[in-house]
Amino acid sequence: MREADDLDALVRYFNFKREPSCGSRCIDMGRVFAFPHASYPPYPEKLPYVYQEVVVGRQLNELHLVYFDSGYGWYRNDAGDRLRIAPGTALLLYPGFYHSYAPDEDKGWSEYWVGCDGSYPQWLIKEDAFRIKNTLTRVGRFHGLRDDFYQLCLTATSHHSPTIKAQILGGMINRILGRMLVLQNTPGGRMEAAENDAVETIIAHLENNVEGDVDMAELPAMANMRYDKLSRLFQNTTGMTPHQYYLDRKVRTAVRLLQSGLSVKETSYRLGFESPYYFSRLSKKKTGQSPQTYKQGDDVDAE
C-alpha cells in the first residue's frame, strides 16, 4: 500500500473530456495539511487563482465537498455568518456560492476535498437534495467519510488509464454524495452542536495528553455532562469508550516511537504505562504483534 505521507500534500486536477457512465465527473481533489502559523492555502502554486482566494472569498464552478479531519478554523458564507470548523466537519458548496474559510493560525488543520460535476451532481442540485448545502455539518470523524476520501486519494495517484480512472473516481464521488444524503436524513446521524463540541473537547484532551496520564473520572466535568451520556456519545462518534480510545492512541503513538528508534522500555515509560510488560501485553492485544516487531521496522497502520 502507498505510504500515507505521499498523500499528505496531494492536489490533483483532471481534464476528463467525457462524462463517466456513473454520472459524476471528478474535476479536482486533494488532501493537505495546513500547519500552525503557516500560510493558507499551503500550496498556492498548485492551485488555480480562484482556489487561492479561499481566505478572502471565492465562487467555484462545480459542486465541492470539503472534509476536515483534524484542527480548527472558521467558515463564512455570503450572508455574513461565521461558523466554527472542528474535526469531523463537512462542508458542501454549491456552484456559484460565495464563501471563505481558513484554519486558526495557531492550530492549523488537515482537510480533504473533491470538486465534481456531471449529470448526477447537477440532478442533486436541481432537486435541492441537500439541506446542508453551503453550510457546515458535523458528521464526526468515524462515519466513513475519511476512509472514502482516503480511497479517493489512492485512486487519484494510481496508474489506471484516464478512462478507467474517471469511472472509478466518479463512482467514489457517488458514494460520498450518497453517504452525505444518508447522514443528513438519519435520526441521530448528526449530533447537536453542544454535544459534538463536548465529544471533540474530550478527544482533543486525550490526544494532547497521550504521553501523560488522564484521569477518566475528570472527563464528565470537562464535558459538562454525566459520564454515561458522555460515554454513549463518544462511542457513537468513535466506536470506542473514552478509555478504549485513549489506550488505542497510546498504542498507535508507541508504534511511531518504536519505529523512530526508541526502545520498548523507553517507549513504555514515555507513554506512562505502568510497566514494559503491561505495555507489551496491551500492544499485542491491540495490534496482534509485539512491540519488538515494530522495532524491527515492520510497516503498520499507525494513523
Side-chain angles (χ1 to χ4, degrees):
M1 177 173 287
R2 181 182 300 273
E3 292 294 334
D5 288 347
D6 293 345
L7 305 180
D8 288 348
L10 178 67
V11 179
R12 289 284 189 278
Y13 294 89
F14 299 98
N15 188 27
F16 300 131
K17 299 298 185 182
R18 299 174 57 187
E19 177 180 310
S21 59
C22 59
S24 291
R25 177 169 51 192
C26 185
I27 303 297
D28 59 88
M29 51 81 60
R31 155 70 159 165
V32 297
F33 279 87
F35 294 101
H37 306 291
S39 61
Y40 184 80
Y43 309 105
E45 71 280 359
K46 297 183 178 181
L47 307 175
Y49 183 73
V50 66
Y51 288 80
Q52 298 179 33
E53 295 291 283
V54 61
V55 177
V56 297
R58 67 182 185 184
Q59 292 174 298
L60 301 173
N61 294 322
E62 65 271 7
L63 182 69
H64 253 240
L65 181 63
V66 191
Y67 180 70
F68 306 92
D69 64 341
S70 69
Y72 294 84
W74 54 267
Y75 161 76
R76 184 182 287 113
N77 59 29
D78 60 358
D81 298 325
R82 184 182 171 101
L83 305 174
R84 187 68 169 155
I85 294 174
T89 297
L91 174 59
L92 187 73
L93 297 167
Y94 274 29
F97 184 81
Y98 191 80
H99 64 276
S100 60
Y101 57 83
D104 290 347
E105 182 180 1
D106 61 338
K107 292 184 174 65
W109 66 28
S110 61
E111 66 179 281
Y112 292 92
W113 81 87
V114 63
C116 62
D117 68 2
S119 56
Y120 182 54
Q122 290 169 11
W123 180 82
L124 290 173
I125 293 171
K126 180 181 177 181
E127 294 296 315
D128 202 20
F130 289 104
R131 295 196 307 272
I132 59 174
K133 64 181 180 180
N134 306 324
T135 190
L136 305 179
T137 181
R138 296 181 178 179
V139 299
R141 293 190 289 177
F142 300 89
H143 283 290
L145 270 180
R146 182 166 58 179
D147 290 339
D148 287 347
F149 272 106
Y150 186 79
Q151 292 303 316
L152 196 74
C153 291
L154 290 177
T155 300
T157 58
S158 69
H159 298 294
H160 294 302
S161 69
T163 300
I164 293 176
K165 185 175 290 188
Q167 291 285 357
I168 297 175
L169 289 174
M172 289 181 170
I173 288 170
N174 289 347
R175 176 182 173 86
I176 290 172
L177 293 174
R179 192 184 292 276
M180 291 305 301
L181 288 170
V182 170
L183 286 172
Q184 75 167 5
N185 290 303
T186 300
R190 292 182 294 154
M191 292 183 294
E192 294 296 330
E195 294 177 343
N196 186 84
D197 287 343
V199 171
E200 294 297 346
T201 294
I202 300 305
I203 289 175
H205 179 66
L206 297 178
E207 293 184 348
N208 291 336
N209 292 279
V210 72
E211 295 188 13
D213 184 21
V214 172
D215 185 351
M216 296 292 146
E218 296 177 355
L219 300 185
M222 293 180 60
N224 195 29
M225 64 179 63
R226 301 188 315 274
Y227 186 84
D228 58 343
K229 182 178 181 179
L230 171 62
S231 183
R232 175 173 54 80
L233 293 173
F234 199 95
Q235 288 186 73
N236 288 342
T237 304
T238 67
M240 293 177 275
T241 67
H243 184 251
Q244 290 169 337
Y245 183 87
Y246 190 49
L247 292 180
D248 180 77
R249 304 319 293 183
K250 278 183 176 288
V251 169
R252 289 174 179 268
T253 302
V255 170
R256 290 195 288 268
L257 293 176
L258 290 165
Q259 291 178 330
S260 72
L262 263 65
S263 69
V264 173
K265 184 176 181 179
E266 289 171 329
T267 300
S268 172
Y269 286 115
R270 178 165 170 174
L271 292 175
F273 290 107
E274 60 187 49
S275 71
Y277 172 72
Y278 172 72
F279 164 54
S280 296
R281 254 196 330 156
L282 179 65
S283 175
K284 193 164 185 179
K285 179 180 178 181
K286 287 279 189 180
T287 69
Q289 301 183 69
S290 70
Q292 285 295 342
T293 304
Y294 308 127
K295 279 291 293 176
Q296 294 164 6
D298 288 6
D299 190 25
V300 294
D301 177 16
E303 179 186 336

